[in-house]
Amino acid sequence: MNELTPKEVQILKVVYDAFGGACLERQLLAFSDISHDDIDELAKKNFLKRYEVEGLRFLIVRHAFYKLIGNPNRNFTLTGYNLKKSALLAEYWLSKFPTVPLHCGLVLDGLKTGTMSQHRKAGWSGFLTRLHAQGFYSEGIVPKDDNRHGVRLMVYFPQSTNPATIAKRIKDFFDSESEFEDIDEIEPRLTVCVPSERARDAILRRIDGRYWWIMERLDFITLTCPEVAGLIV
């Protein structure tokens, strides 16, 4: 990667791996140590390209970077679904680490043990693979609050706007948690990404009292960016 600086490599790795190959230009600039000049330079070197759709400017990792990291047979597939998915992943990380500079490495570190990464890693269970296909991502495993065993942090990007459907998916997730092979040692917790607090409240109204036991392990993140919130379907 001789023609790229270490900072440029890190920028491309984050967009490629954490965001799935693309993001809104505004999202990348939200990192305190990323500037328009950084993006312009990567565009000049043909590693990023700008793409505008419906008034939104996206940045897309070009084939040159796929080739450079040993993945020459892949490229970003330019579809509305893929752009939406990348924007949502980017918004999640920005919600999790607001005002954090990219160089601190928190985003890339968060990809090492879960399925948030766009790399298909060996060792995924059949259950994790099925969840991933439904919009559930495993962010990783962290120590439990009381330092006993551990916690598997899961993130859910709903593929529906229907609060009853989303509530059912949440209940199904916890009903099926015994399918995790390490359930005796690792406790699943779920964060659901929603476009508004109103949507969150509508979902919670449809989770009845029999599921009181999941409430300490269920959380919500409101994706406040209006551009990205509107992309949730």
Side-chain angles (χ1 to χ4, degrees):
M1 301 190 184
N2 292 336
E3 63 178 297
L4 293 171
T5 68
K7 180 180 181 180
E8 289 172 339
V9 171
Q10 189 173 43
I11 292 171
L12 290 167
K13 281 184 175 179
V14 167
V15 180
Y16 165 77
D17 202 9
F19 304 163
C23 66
L24 289 164
E25 184 165 347
R26 178 202 58 74
Q27 291 175 315
L28 192 56
L29 289 169
F31 290 99
S32 60
D33 53 346
I34 305 298
S35 68
H36 286 286
D37 289 341
D38 294 317
I39 295 171
D40 289 343
E41 189 62 25
L42 283 167
K44 287 178 186 176
K45 293 180 177 180
N46 291 318
F47 285 102
L48 277 182
K49 70 175 179 180
R50 289 182 168 98
Y51 177 79
E52 193 161 314
V53 56
E54 296 183 6
L56 300 178
R57 178 177 281 184
F58 285 86
L59 299 172
I60 299 172
V61 176
R62 302 190 69 141
H63 179 71
F65 187 69
Y66 286 77
K67 184 177 179 181
L68 195 62
I69 60 173
N71 198 6
N73 297 319
R74 291 289 305 277
N75 202 353
F76 182 81
T77 303
L78 190 56
T79 66
Y81 173 83
N82 285 339
L83 288 174
K84 179 196 72 174
K85 177 184 174 182
S86 291
L88 290 174
L89 285 170
E91 193 66 17
Y92 172 76
W93 289 114
L94 288 169
S95 298
K96 188 176 179 67
F97 300 124
T99 72
V100 170
L102 190 79
H103 78 263
C104 72
L106 286 174
V107 174
L108 291 176
D109 286 346
L111 300 176
K112 292 178 180 177
T113 58
T115 63
M116 297 289 282
S117 169
Q118 299 306 300
H119 290 296
R120 182 62 173 90
K121 296 173 181 168
W124 288 17
S125 67
F127 184 49
L128 268 181
T129 300
R130 293 199 306 275
L131 287 174
H132 192 71
Q134 296 169 19
F136 291 84
Y137 291 75
S138 171
E139 184 179 327
I141 297 171
V142 298
K144 202 171 180 179
D145 299 339
D146 56 10
N147 294 319
R148 293 181 299 169
H149 302 306
V151 173
R152 174 175 280 108
L153 302 177
M154 298 291 299
V155 184
Y156 175 36
F157 293 95
Q159 299 171 351
S160 169
T161 56
N162 187 317
T165 299
I166 297 170
K168 183 179 185 303
R169 292 287 188 190
I170 293 169
K171 291 184 288 186
D172 288 346
F173 170 82
F174 285 104
D175 284 339
S176 304
E177 66 178 21
S178 61
E179 293 194 47
F180 284 114
E181 297 175 356
D182 52 10
I183 189 62
D184 291 334
E185 298 180 354
I186 308 296
E187 175 187 88
R189 294 185 186 174
L190 181 64
T191 296
V192 183
C193 298
V194 294
S196 66
E197 293 183 2
R198 181 179 178 182
R200 177 202 63 195
D201 293 343
I203 294 164
L204 285 172
R205 284 196 297 270
R206 289 160 176 82
I207 300 178
D208 58 67
R210 290 173 298 170
Y211 284 87
W212 61 268
W213 57 277
I214 74 174
M215 292 307 172
E216 289 188 354
R217 294 194 278 137
L218 177 65
D219 196 8
F220 292 84
I221 279 186
T222 301
L223 303 179
T224 55
C225 170
E227 302 146 308
V228 178
L231 291 172
I232 299 178
V233 297

